[in-house]
Amino acid sequence: MEIIPIGTGDAFAKTLFQTNFLVRPADGGPFLVDFGHTAARALARLGFPLRDVGRVVVSHLHADHIGGLEELGFGGYFGWGERPQLFVPENLVPWLWDHALSAGMGQRLTRADGGFFQAGLSTYFELEPVSAGRPFDLGSVRLTPFPTPHVPGRPCWGYRLEDRATGGIAVLTCDSRFHPRSLQKWAADAAVVFHDCQLASDGNHIHATLDELLTLDDRWQERILLVHYADDWPGWQGRTGRMRFARQGEPVRV
Ligand SMILES: [Zn+2]
Ligand SMILES: [Zn+2]
């Protein structure tokens, strides 16, 4: 499979798009993991049309991960007449519409017969709930959602991706505090781990910091590609041990 971080920035980045991924299975159509409010622009930069986004996998409900869904859903409904599939961990489902998307999308719409109806999530998307630790397949890629510690009291999910056509395994931590036990459980056999990284150790501690990631041994560091980093990342080059910065738009083949 090919994994393209369409952005590598954190939620506050201005020179980078946000950390969302375009995945091309060895066999089968592409899908997105997360769709933040810079996702449509990031895809446009890559020449990938928004209408070709048929499937989105969601990690959690911060705007840098779901903030683009309104544009995608409206585009599909009012534009090209398709409902993208949304793969959403089941404990996020009640929140996704009621507390995030309904404010902008829960409008009254006109039916073909001239009557009205109230739009809901299923008006715009085909919802596919997914469960912790239970794999599901998108083309040749088998995805397994696993819980990550991010913001206390707010669920967040990472994904293990295994392409059954090539045997390639990658892990996306999405947003996570430092949690070596989880890495050991889900990423021990992964060729690549895309790990979110807070470069400076001050501020809110809801992501793994660079200092924490540097405590991992070389066996781990060599496989880690840093994502979800701040605009000042060039100043941190050469200070990341054996870990490398993933670059937005650059495919990684696994
Ligand atoms: Zn987050
Ligand atoms: Zn984030």
Side-chain angles (χ1 to χ4, degrees), residues 4-252:
I4 305 171
I6 63 170
T8 53
D10 64 14
F12 304 98
K14 298 294 175 284
T15 61
L16 299 163
F17 297 122
Q18 295 157 347
T19 298
N20 306 157
F21 298 91
L22 172 63
V23 181
R24 297 181 191 276
D27 208 355
F31 60 90
L32 271 292
V33 178
D34 285 331
F35 208 82
H37 55 75
T38 65
R41 265 186 297 141
L43 288 174
R45 184 75 62 86
L46 295 172
F48 190 97
L50 191 58
R51 65 179 301 158
D52 288 354
V53 179
R55 302 183 288 187
V56 177
V57 178
V58 171
S59 70
H60 68 299
L61 303 184
H62 277 148
D64 54 320
H65 299 263
I66 62 155
L69 291 178
E70 180 176 309
E71 178 179 356
L72 179 64
F74 278 159
Y77 186 82
F78 295 109
W80 49 91
E82 275 171 31
R83 287 188 312 158
Q85 286 181 298
L86 270 190
F87 296 83
V88 184
E90 54 197 0
N91 62 354
L92 300 179
V93 170
W95 293 79
L96 178 63
W97 180 256
D98 290 346
H99 297 279
L101 299 178
S102 73
M105 304 181 84
Q107 66 198 81
R108 205 172 67 147
L109 293 169
T110 311
R111 285 197 307 259
D113 66 6
F116 296 103
F117 71 101
Q118 193 64 31
L121 186 64
S122 62
T123 307
Y124 305 102
F125 298 102
E126 193 180 321
L127 180 66
E128 304 280 355
V130 301
S131 306
R134 197 171 301 163
F136 59 100
D137 294 341
L138 297 179
S140 55
V141 174
R142 176 156 290 176
L143 294 95
T144 308
F146 62 91
T148 64
H150 180 36
V151 176
R154 288 285 181 270
C156 184
W157 298 83
Y159 287 93
R160 172 189 159 89
L161 280 59
E162 179 171 1
D163 196 313
R164 289 171 307 137
T166 64
I169 297 172
V171 163
L172 315 178
T173 58
C174 298
D175 282 3
S176 178
R177 297 199 303 276
F178 186 57
H179 202 252
R181 257 185 304 137
S182 184
L183 280 181
Q184 189 61 44
K185 179 170 182 184
W186 298 102
D189 54 358
V192 176
V193 178
F194 289 89
H195 209 305
D196 56 319
C197 177
Q198 186 174 319
L199 295 169
S201 293
D202 53 351
N204 286 332
H205 195 75
I206 58 172
H207 297 282
T209 64
L210 177 58
D211 284 343
E212 289 170 329
L213 290 169
L214 282 168
T215 66
L216 294 169
D217 63 29
D218 285 356
R219 191 177 56 93
W220 279 106
Q221 290 192 25
E222 282 161 1
R223 295 183 287 143
I224 288 179
L225 289 173
L226 303 174
V227 289
H228 212 289
Y229 45 78
D231 284 326
D232 65 353
W233 72 275
W236 295 83
Q237 282 177 304
R239 298 160 66 183
T240 60
R242 300 185 77 87
M243 296 177 286
R244 291 159 291 152
F245 286 98
R247 301 299 306 278
Q248 68 183 23
E250 288 187 7
V252 175

